[in-house]
Structure formats: structure tokens, C-alpha cells
């Protein structure tokens, strides 16, 4: 789940918002972490205790709602995956320049898609996917930590402004929460737990620990990226608007830093390709037997379709990720509201009692994200 959250959009958005808000972006990160934990704790615990995927819960609660949720999740996951494939191509092209067109690295994206397909068709696909994400997660955090140290950020000021901001930005909060637990991302972990047999009331302590740990891992990467970018912009350096994150790494650590950026971007993108495809198809598996029977084939087609659209699409990956981020931010209040309603039904949860404080925290996230999402849509339309 953590490496699904840390994608190309995650890296770019963190850099852009740091450039806009400077040390006050720490406050946005802090608020988003609290909202992320409240949302994900509810999602993972409810899915684990009911032992049902989100779409099945939704259909049981309100017939047809599960199909709507699945369509929204798959649509958001597909749009995000096009951006993930593009990001993987860009990252690979920084390390190994296969493509002459730097803005449209089709060869690098194709190689990355082939690696993702190999993981899914490996005999122990689930184990391979878990280890692949885990190793690359450590690689991303370790390399970004090096760049954060190299940029010499004003850490004391950043900590202070995380609690006493000069300015804030609700769109930034919406984007960060939507990009961390919105859309398919939170379910990437919850559905993986079901497939791994980690479910039921007796497993709730592990589910809770895993839920919070995943958010903290993703947030650690967010904070390191924030500090790296903050150190660069605080020194007066001007970031390349076409590749702000890449210029942060390059300015902080020279050509070595730029190569590190390529590795980090590729790692973030390829793990998100895997997570997006796996989770999106998991929303289809119980809706019709054909999806369960041919899940690996359908997952592979999902990746190939994403690759195909990127190959022929003229629009840049950044625009695609912005659209997907907005969609995922809107899906979260709907999916979380459905789960919080489902946990009130005894026929679904038996004698399990969901903590009142957790339900309250979940509904607060629903309201806040609903209002922010409504404002964002209104701003786009009007």
C-alpha cells in the first residue's frame, strides 16, 4: 500500500507544493497524515473483520452500489496507471537513455511494463509482489534521505511551521490525502491482506499495526522529499517547471543526484503500476466468475492497455495525474462512508464492536474530504 501511494504524482506534487508553501507545507503534511490514518484504520479494520472486499460490502449494503464503486475505482486506477507507466519510462530514461524523446519515453515504459508483467506471471506472484515492493520501498527512502541531507534544509523552521503555519492550502490537503489513501490506494493493502489470509477479529491487532505502519512509511518518504525540496528552494535555486522533482535532486547532489532521482522515480512508478493493476482487478474479481478465473490475464491486459494508451496519448503525464488525483480524492468520501455504514450492520460484523472514536474520526474525514472535493470540482467547473 505504501509503495502504491508513492508514485510519480506523489513525488511531483510534494515538490510543487513545497515550492509554493515553503516551510508551511509541513502543516499540510501533518494534517494529511492524521486524515490518512483515520481513513485507513477504518477501511482496513472493517474489511478484515467482515472478510469481504469493499465492492461486496457495498453491494450487500445497497444492491448495485458495489458495481458503481468498482467502476469508479477501476477508472481512477486506469488513469493513474497511465501516469505510472509514463513515470516508469521517465525514470528509466534518466538512468539508461533508451528514448530520444525525453517527454515521451515509450521504450523505457515498455521495458518497465514487461517487468511488471513478469512479477504477475511468476509462480509465487503474491510473494514476489510483496518483496518487490518492500525492497524498492527501502531503496526509495534511503536514496531520498541522502538527497535530503545534501540539500541542507532549515529543519527547525520546518518543524515550527508544521504547527504554526504562515499559510495553508486546502487543495494541497485534498491532493495529498487523495494521493495517499484515495481511490484504489487504501484498498491495495486491505484486499492484499484478504488474499494473504490475514482477516477476522483475531487478526485485528496485526491489521491495525500494518495500517498505521503503511501510512507512516509513505509519510516518511513525503517528509524526506519535502525536506530535500525545501533545502533547494530555500537556497534561492529555481526549479525546472517541466521536471521540478528532478531538478531538486540534481541541484542538491549534482549528476549523481539526478541519477538517484531516476532510480527513485522508476521505483515509485513501477511499484505503483503493480499496485494499481492488482487492486483495480481485485475490485472486479467477485463481481463475475470470469474475473476470478482469469485474474492474472486481466491484470496483464490492464497493464498493457495502460501502456498502449500512453504510447498514443499526446497529453503529458502530469496532466493525467492531476485528473486522477482529483478523481481519487472524490472516491474516498464515498467509499469510506459506505464502509462506516456497513460496520453498523450486525449481519455483516457479528458481535464485533467498532470503536466509537474510530467511527467519529472516519466520519470527520468523510465530511472534510467531501467539502474539499466539492470545492475543487466547483472551481474546475466554474
Amino acid at each position: 500500500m505504501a509503495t502504491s501511494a508513492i508514485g510519480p504524482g506523489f513525488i511531483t506534487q510534494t515538490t510543487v507544493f513545497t515550492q509554493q508553501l515553503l516551510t508551511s507545507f509541513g502543516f499540510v503534511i501533518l494534517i494529511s497524515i492524521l486524515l490518512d490514518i483515520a481513513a485507513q484504520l477504518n477501511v482496513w479494520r472493517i474489511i478484515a473483520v467482515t472478510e469481504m472486499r469493499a465492492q461486496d460490502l457495498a453491494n450487500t449494503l445497497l444492491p448495485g452500489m458495489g458495481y458503481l464503486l468498482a467502476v469508479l475505482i477501476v477508472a481512477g486506477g486506469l488513469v493513474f496507471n497511465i501516469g505510472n507507466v509514463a513515470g516508469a519510462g521517465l525514470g528509466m530514461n534518466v538512468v539508461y537513455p533508451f528514448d530520444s524523446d525525453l517527454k515521451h519515453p515509450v521504450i523505457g515504459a515498455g521495458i518497465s511494463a514487461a517487468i511488471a508483467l513478469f512479477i504477475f506471471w511468476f509462480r509465487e506472484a503474491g510473494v514476489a509482489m510483496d518483496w518487490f515492493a518492500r525492497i524498492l520501498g527501502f531503496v526509495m527512502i534511503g536514496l531520498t534521505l541522502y538527497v535530503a541531507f545534501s540539500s541542507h534544509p532549515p529543519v527547525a523552521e520546518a518543524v515550527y511551521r508544521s504547527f504554526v503555519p504562515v499559510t495553508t492550502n486546502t487543495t494541497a490537503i485534498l491532493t495529498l490525502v487523495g494521493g495517499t489513501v484515495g481511490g484504489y490506494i487504501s484498498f491495495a493493502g486491505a484486499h492484499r491482506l484478504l488474499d494473504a489470509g490475514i482477516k477476522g477479529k483475531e487478526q485485528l491487532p496485526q491489521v491495525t499495526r500494518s495500517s498505521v505502519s503503511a501510512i507512516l512509511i509513505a509519510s516518511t518518504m513525503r517528509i524526506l522529499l519535502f525536506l530535500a525540496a525545501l533545502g533547494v528552494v530555500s537556497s534561492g535555486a529555481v526549479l525546472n517547471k517541466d521536471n521540478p522533482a528532478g531538478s531538486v535532486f540534481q541541484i542538491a547532489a549534482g549528476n549523481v543526484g539526478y541519477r538517484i532521482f531516476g532510480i527513485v522515480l522508476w521505483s515509485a512508478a513501477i511499484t505503483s503500476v503493480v499496485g494499481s493493476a492488482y487492486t483495480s482487478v481485485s475490485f472486479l474479481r467477485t463481481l463475475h466468475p470470469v474475473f476470478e478465473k482469469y485474474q492474472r490475464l486481466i491484470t496483464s491486459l490492464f497493464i498493457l492497455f495502460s501502456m498502449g494508451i500512453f504510447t498514443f496519448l499526446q497529453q503529458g503525464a502530469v496532466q493525467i495525474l492531476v485528473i486522477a488525483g482529483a478523481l481519487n480524492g472524490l472516491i474516498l468520501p464515498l467509499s469510506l462512508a459506505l464502509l462506516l455504514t456497513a460496520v453498523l450492520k450486525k449481519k455483516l460484523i457479528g458481535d464485533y464492536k467498532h470503536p466509537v472514536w474510530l467511527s467519529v474520526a472516519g466520519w470527520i474525514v468523510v465530511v472534510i474530504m467531501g467539502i474539499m472535493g466539492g470545492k475543487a470540482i466547483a472551481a474546475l467547473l466554474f
Side-chain angles (χ1 to χ4, degrees):
M1 174 268 146
T3 51
S4 289
I6 305 168
F10 180 103
I11 293 171
T12 302
Q13 291 156 3
T14 302
T15 306
V16 169
F17 286 129
T18 301
Q19 193 175 14
Q20 292 174 2
L21 301 174
L22 299 177
T23 52
S24 293
F25 185 50
F27 175 77
V28 172
I29 293 175
L30 177 62
I31 295 300
S32 69
I33 290 172
L34 296 175
L35 294 174
D36 291 341
I37 290 174
Q40 183 143 293
L41 264 176
N42 276 291
V43 170
W44 285 31
R45 284 176 67 95
I46 293 169
I47 286 178
V49 81
T50 59
E51 303 184 22
M52 298 171 70
R53 289 188 173 87
Q55 69 273 23
D56 299 325
L57 265 175
N59 267 340
T60 304
L61 190 66
L62 187 63
M65 186 55 75
Y67 295 100
L68 173 62
L69 185 61
V71 168
L72 290 173
I73 294 286
V74 172
L78 178 62
V79 177
F80 241 125
N81 221 32
I82 297 166
N84 291 335
V85 167
L90 289 168
M92 181 167 282
N93 219 44
V94 169
V95 183
Y96 300 105
F98 293 114
D99 294 270
S100 56
D101 185 355
L102 299 180
K103 292 185 178 179
H104 202 69
V106 175
I107 297 174
I111 294 171
S112 301
I115 292 170
L117 289 172
F118 172 76
I119 293 168
F120 278 110
W121 284 98
F122 189 67
R123 183 180 295 275
E124 297 291 338
V127 175
M129 186 168 62
D130 292 341
W131 274 104
F132 182 71
R134 189 176 298 154
I135 291 167
L136 290 188
F138 279 116
V139 168
M140 285 188 283
I141 289 173
L143 292 176
T144 308
L145 177 64
Y146 167 74
V147 174
F149 269 109
S150 300
S151 73
H152 305 293
V155 177
E157 176 71 8
V159 171
Y160 176 67
R161 292 301 175 195
S162 295
F163 298 93
V164 188
V166 174
T167 183
T168 189
N169 185 328
T170 56
T171 302
I173 296 172
L174 174 70
T175 304
L176 261 61
V177 176
T180 308
V181 294
Y184 76 90
I185 300 171
S186 186
F187 299 107
H191 286 187
R192 180 75 194 99
L193 287 175
L194 289 184
D195 288 344
I198 302 171
K199 55 190 176 182
K201 282 199 306 180
E202 65 280 359
Q203 296 287 356
L204 283 180
Q206 182 179 347
V207 171
T208 300
R209 285 194 304 273
S210 297
S211 171
V212 176
S213 296
I215 295 296
L216 294 180
I217 291 167
S219 300
T220 298
M221 184 66 177
R222 177 91 70 190
I223 292 166
L224 291 176
L225 282 168
F226 162 55
L227 291 175
L230 182 62
V232 170
V233 297
S234 296
S235 69
V238 178
L239 303 185
N240 180 350
K241 64 179 182 180
D242 293 326
N243 187 4
S247 57
V248 163
F249 280 69
Q250 189 166 31
I251 293 167
N255 288 331
V256 172
Y258 191 57
R259 297 286 182 183
I260 288 173
F261 166 72
I263 297 169
V264 169
L265 183 65
W266 184 82
S267 301
I270 193 67
T271 50
S272 293
V273 168
V274 172
S276 175
Y278 168 81
T279 310
S280 297
V281 173
S282 80
F283 269 83
L284 301 174
R285 282 170 57 183
T286 55
L287 298 181
H288 194 280
V290 71
F291 293 115
E292 179 67 36
K293 184 177 180 181
Y294 299 107
Q295 58 170 302
R296 284 193 182 182
L297 176 61
I298 294 168
T299 303
S300 301
L301 291 174
F302 188 91
I303 294 171
L304 291 172
F305 188 59
S306 304
M307 177 64 208
I309 294 176
F310 169 66
T311 302
F312 296 105
L313 202 64
Q314 295 303 311
Q315 195 172 25
V318 173
Q319 293 94 327
I320 295 169
L321 288 164
V322 168
I323 295 168
L327 180 60
N328 275 3
L330 290 170
I331 292 171
L332 177 61
L334 171 64
S335 59
L336 184 54
L338 285 170
L339 292 179
L340 289 169
T341 304
V343 83
L344 299 174
K345 306 293 182 182
K346 278 207 170 290
K347 67 176 182 178
L348 295 174
I349 62 168
D351 61 353
Y352 168 70
K353 294 189 185 301
H354 198 58
V356 174
W357 69 268
L358 197 51
S359 291
V360 171
W363 282 112
I364 289 172
V365 174
V366 170
V367 172
I368 291 174
M369 292 299 290
I371 292 172
M372 288 183 181
K375 285 183 177 178
I377 292 298
L380 287 172
L381 294 177
F382 306 106

